Amino acid sequence: MAESTQLPAPADPESVHIIDISGYIFRAYHALPPLSSSRGEPTHAVRGVVSMLMKLFEERKPTRICVAVDARGRSVRRDRFPEYKANRDAPPPDLDQQIKRVMEVLRAFGLPLLEVQGYEADDVIAALVKGTKARGLKSVIVSADKDLLQLVGEGVVMYDTMRDRVFGTEETIAKFGVPPNQVRDLLALMGDSSDNVPGVPSVGVKTAAKLLTAHGSLDGIYENLDAVKGRAKAKLEEFKDQAYLSRELVALHEELELDFDAAFAEWGGGDGEAIRRLFTEMEFNRLLNDLKAEAPKATQVQTVLSKEGLAALALEIRTAGRFAFESVLAGGFPRSADLVGLSIN
């Protein structure tokens, strides 16, 4: 039996934590009992998301972290297929109100919020994963969305914090019966009732996995349709156009242009005063206590590259009487990496 996939070490400087915030908002909203402040403001979804974030900060100590957000308004998928997600009711007013509050909290924590008009958070995540790979970084996708299993593999894991589960290639195979590079076509065949993706009727996960294992891809299945037997063949013939439409709908758009510099910048911890103010307004008393004396504030960084700057720094150190320093290395292997600088605090 293959070993389970592992998360990168806490505080790993080569990892980017990418949060699928919409998924956590909806899960918290439906999983937790309704809760309101003494002024009647609904807060349970916000509290659930904040608890998740603080647990992530405490346990993972992320050095690079960003948030993918669903864009409101027009959708390229709805343009292609008007029935896409048309089966969903409008969010209740108390959820919409809490989503706005979550965004306030995320900004107070200093987390980059990334969205692209017409696209979903999953597309933003796909583009971010592509960007991390191009920069030699690793991705931790903080989500439980099965669609994102298309992305996992070498240097990319999905972390479901609520169930404390980590998904890589082996876990994806265990869940779906196919590796990540076949998940898109499997989802296209299965369809998805929650998103109103039609798929091929009567083709479930086991049949889809069996077909993809035998023929490699959706194209391979249709190129070898004569080899498919029984009811599945008839359904595939009848709903071929629907299968390819579904593949368009579940495919992730990794080509989006994003502010990668902001997304992958080192995280400073946020604005402690703003965080405490929001927690006080929403009466998150226990979470205020968890902040202890003060939430971490954004780090002020000054780069010293001249003799004059070095002399000024030496004077500051002598005046302070004590300091801490850490080696800055070009790579993750201390014994062999080149020293490129010193971090002094």
Side-chain angles (χ1 to χ4, degrees):
M1 181 177 176
E3 293 185 6
S4 61
T5 301
Q6 299 296 312
L7 289 166
D12 178 11
E14 303 300 317
S15 295
V16 181
H17 285 69
I18 305 169
I19 299 177
D20 173 19
I21 199 63
S22 296
Y24 278 94
I25 293 172
F26 282 101
R27 288 176 76 181
Y29 179 80
H30 292 291
L32 298 176
L35 178 71
S36 299
S37 71
S38 60
R39 299 183 308 279
E41 178 185 0
T43 58
H44 64 284
V46 188
R47 187 185 183 93
V49 172
V50 170
S51 297
M52 181 275 292
L53 287 173
M54 293 181 68
K55 180 175 183 286
L56 183 74
F57 299 157
E58 176 66 24
E59 295 181 356
R60 299 295 307 144
K61 298 175 172 58
T63 58
R64 306 172 195 269
I65 184 167
C66 56
V67 178
V69 179
D70 284 321
R72 297 200 173 197
R74 174 191 155 272
S75 162
V76 294
R77 289 180 176 85
R78 288 290 293 273
D79 288 347
R80 178 68 182 88
F81 183 56
E83 290 80 12
Y84 178 72
K85 292 189 176 180
N87 55 328
R88 296 189 180 186
D89 296 329
D94 67 322
L95 174 57
D96 199 53
Q97 184 177 353
Q98 292 185 78
I99 289 172
K100 294 175 182 175
R101 275 296 208 180
V102 168
M103 297 305 159
E104 288 184 58
V105 171
L106 296 173
R107 294 186 184 96
F109 273 117
L111 302 178
L113 307 182
L114 300 152
E115 65 178 297
V116 177
Q117 191 60 43
Y119 294 90
E120 299 177 29
D122 289 3
D123 301 310
V124 174
I125 292 169
L128 288 167
V129 168
K130 182 180 179 181
T132 60
K133 290 179 180 178
R135 290 159 177 78
L137 301 170
K138 292 169 283 188
S139 298
V140 178
I141 303 169
V142 184
S143 179
D145 187 344
K146 66 182 185 306
D147 293 355
L148 295 171
L149 293 177
Q150 300 176 57
L151 303 173
V152 305
E154 184 66 30
V156 183
V157 298
M158 187 174 82
Y159 180 32
D160 179 355
T161 57
M162 291 189 180
R163 298 186 178 91
D164 197 26
R165 294 188 65 188
V166 183
F167 289 85
T169 298
E170 294 302 321
E171 291 77 14
T172 302
I173 293 172
K175 180 178 179 65
F176 283 140
V178 298
N181 64 351
Q182 291 181 323
V183 168
R184 181 197 63 179
D185 287 358
L186 179 131
L187 295 173
L189 288 165
M190 290 170 50
D192 186 341
S193 59
S194 65
D195 289 346
N196 217 26
V197 175
V200 177
S202 301
V203 174
V205 60
K206 291 184 179 180
T207 300
K210 182 178 179 180
L211 289 167
L212 289 168
T213 299
H215 304 293
S217 66
L218 188 65
D219 293 336
I221 292 169
Y222 278 102
E223 288 167 1
N224 297 278
L225 197 56
D226 288 342
V228 179
K229 305 298 182 185
R231 187 182 182 189
K233 179 180 180 180
K235 291 293 183 180
L236 286 165
E237 287 179 325
E238 182 179 356
F239 294 100
K240 179 178 180 179
D241 290 345
Q242 195 162 285
Y244 278 97
L245 168 64
S246 298
R247 187 169 73 171
E248 288 184 51
L249 297 175
V250 301
L252 302 179
H253 295 264
E254 64 174 17
E255 74 283 357
L256 302 183
E257 294 186 9
L258 300 171
D259 185 353
F260 291 109
D261 290 339
F264 301 149
E266 292 191 12
W267 179 53
D271 183 338
E273 184 177 344
I275 294 167
R276 289 195 303 276
R277 175 180 57 79
L278 287 168
F279 284 12
T280 300
E281 287 178 3
M282 291 182 281
E283 300 173 2
F284 292 166
N285 297 325
R286 184 182 63 78
L287 294 174
L288 272 169
N289 291 333
D290 290 344
L291 289 174
K292 298 179 181 177
E294 186 174 340
K297 292 185 178 180
T299 304
Q300 296 292 324
V301 178
Q302 180 180 358
T303 304
V304 176
L305 298 174
S306 66
K307 290 181 180 179
E308 293 79 7
L310 185 60
L313 176 62
L315 178 60
E316 286 187 38
I317 291 172
R318 283 196 296 271
T319 302
R322 62 180 180 175
F323 72 99
F325 74 93
E326 181 179 1
S327 301
V328 181
L329 305 176
F333 301 97
R335 293 182 181 274
S336 59
D338 292 331
L339 178 68
V340 295
L342 293 173
S343 175
I344 297 175
N345 186 18

